[in-house]
Amino acid sequence: MNHTLLETRDISKSFPVRTSPFRGAVPLRAVNCVTLSLAEGETLGLAGESGSGKSTLGKLLLRLLKPDGGAALYRGRSLGDLHGADLLGFRKDVQMIFQDPYSSLNPRMRVGDIIGEPLKIHGLGTGDGYRERMVSLAGRVGLTEEHLRRYPHEFSGGQRQRIGIARALAVSPRLIIADEPVSALDLSIQAQIINLLQELKEEYLLSFILIAHDLTVLRHMSDRIAVMYLGTIVEMGNAEDVFSGCLHPYTEALLSAVPHLERGGRGKRIVLKGDIPSPLAPPPGCPFHPRCPHAVPEICAVRVPPLEEKKPAHLAACHFSDRLFH
């Protein structure tokens, strides 16, 4: 049985936002009491619309942001308790692949220096094996030794993302958090990058947290999926269980937008009302009820549904899951 590598316990994060020059700052709750776990060797997919809190949660897991409440734990230790050598060890073990391959690479550094920078930071960038390590990493992600002498502007978006992947692999991490790693790429390049990540996961025995709004990407890579809406998790379970038998109306709407070749793209599309509510003024009760086609106002607008197990290892936060999804 795999051990828990990373977990959160009721973690929350707000940002002060000034909506008017005549009023004080209002808290914007980006992540609201999220509890989840990741086992060694597992890929957890985080799904949801823009503004649902996925990227903020990823930054909390990296300790790039400090939580307002709750905690994130790496191998049983709170990230807030890590200092000095322990924090440096965590930084080595947990790496990130960023969404935008154009802004995540320093344009003034050659590719070889970009890939080798983590090795130098962690004291691994010396000796005869340094250059050999960079050439090996470049080759593993589909680049050549000649590419190491070039600058990022000389590469396409897909090649730049390969550089970012090589940089993340440089220090032999245990976990990679990939924040929308293919959303800025062409469709054909997306498939190449996703296949590469899957190969690297198996080859290097990596764990992944994969953040994406495209459910087809998550289905291809994820062992489990957590669906976020307005800073909370509304459904979580094994990937096949979520895709074959979702238990929340929001997940149902997201899945209805995924094209299916076997039905000729003519499946029933669920169009949600309006936009995701502002986290500056979240609705009372269930956060999804203003857009939910199944909402019962006297219940859904008043009571917050707990995230609870509806089926074995399959959780949902909906008052009517049992009635709506048999």
Side-chain angles (χ1 to χ4, degrees), residues 37-323:
S37 64
L38 176 77
E40 291 183 354
E42 182 183 32
T43 297
L44 174 66
L46 290 180
E49 295 171 279
S50 296
S52 60
K54 308 185 301 298
S55 294
T56 300
L57 179 57
K59 292 174 182 176
L60 289 168
L61 295 174
L62 283 161
R63 217 185 94 157
L64 298 179
L65 293 174
K66 182 179 179 180
D68 301 326
L73 295 87
Y74 177 69
R75 305 181 75 184
R77 293 190 62 185
S78 172
L79 299 189
D81 294 337
L82 300 181
H83 304 282
D86 291 337
L87 180 57
L88 191 64
F90 169 76
R91 296 291 188 211
K92 176 179 177 294
D93 282 354
V94 184
Q95 293 289 305
M96 188 167 193
I97 300 171
F98 296 91
Q99 177 177 2
D100 186 358
Y102 294 91
S103 63
S104 62
L105 305 178
N106 189 333
R108 304 175 70 177
M109 294 177 67
R110 296 182 188 272
V111 167
D113 295 327
I114 290 173
I115 296 175
E117 185 176 29
L119 294 171
K120 294 180 178 179
I121 290 173
H122 292 281
L124 307 172
T126 58
D128 297 335
Y130 174 63
R131 178 74 181 181
E132 191 175 307
R133 173 69 171 161
M134 287 193 298
V135 172
S136 174
L137 286 166
R140 186 59 194 87
V141 300
L143 302 173
T144 67
E145 183 174 1
E146 191 273 332
H147 287 146
L148 297 175
R149 295 188 287 272
R150 298 186 186 179
Y151 289 92
H153 74 268
E154 301 178 67
F155 295 88
S156 66
Q159 288 175 314
R160 293 186 195 201
Q161 199 60 294
R162 291 174 186 271
I163 296 168
I165 293 170
R167 177 177 61 185
L169 288 173
V171 290
S172 302
R174 293 173 176 267
L175 166 63
I176 290 180
I177 298 178
D179 186 4
E180 300 274 10
V182 298
S183 63
L185 307 177
D186 293 338
L187 195 59
S188 60
I189 306 301
Q190 288 185 13
Q192 295 176 21
I193 297 299
I194 288 299
N195 288 336
L196 174 62
L197 292 176
Q198 187 67 23
E199 292 170 7
L200 293 173
K201 175 193 174 183
E202 296 171 2
E203 182 177 340
Y204 292 94
L205 304 178
L206 295 168
S207 303
F208 268 93
I209 292 179
L210 182 60
I211 301 170
H213 64 270
D214 187 342
L215 290 176
T216 57
V217 171
L218 296 181
R219 185 170 197 172
H220 185 75
M221 274 199 70
S222 302
D223 300 304
R224 288 190 302 130
I225 288 178
V227 181
M228 293 191 69
Y229 185 82
L230 210 62
T232 66
I233 292 178
V234 297
E235 183 165 359
M236 182 162 55
N238 293 328
E240 284 307 311
D241 292 340
V242 171
F243 275 92
S244 63
C246 66
L247 297 175
H248 195 281
Y250 179 59
T251 311
E252 182 185 37
L254 292 179
L255 291 174
S256 76
V258 177
H260 292 272
L261 293 177
E262 64 271 17
R263 67 189 189 199
R266 294 188 297 271
K268 180 182 177 183
R269 174 72 186 273
I270 301 172
V271 180
L272 299 175
K273 301 178 292 183
D275 298 320
I276 187 170
S278 170
L280 289 171
C286 174
F288 185 59
H289 87 263
R291 306 174 71 194
C292 181
H294 309 291
V296 179
E298 55 268 28
I299 296 176
C300 301
V302 177
R303 292 165 43 198
V304 178
L307 181 66
E308 56 187 6
E309 192 173 56
K310 305 289 185 177
K311 294 181 179 180
H314 195 167
L315 292 76
C318 177
H319 294 299
F320 302 110
S321 288
D322 298 336
R323 188 182 77 184

Side-chain angles (χ1 to χ4, degrees), residues 13-24:
K13 180 63 181 178
S14 297
F15 300 97
V17 175
R18 292 184 65 90
T19 58
S20 166
F22 307 105
R23 297 178 56 187

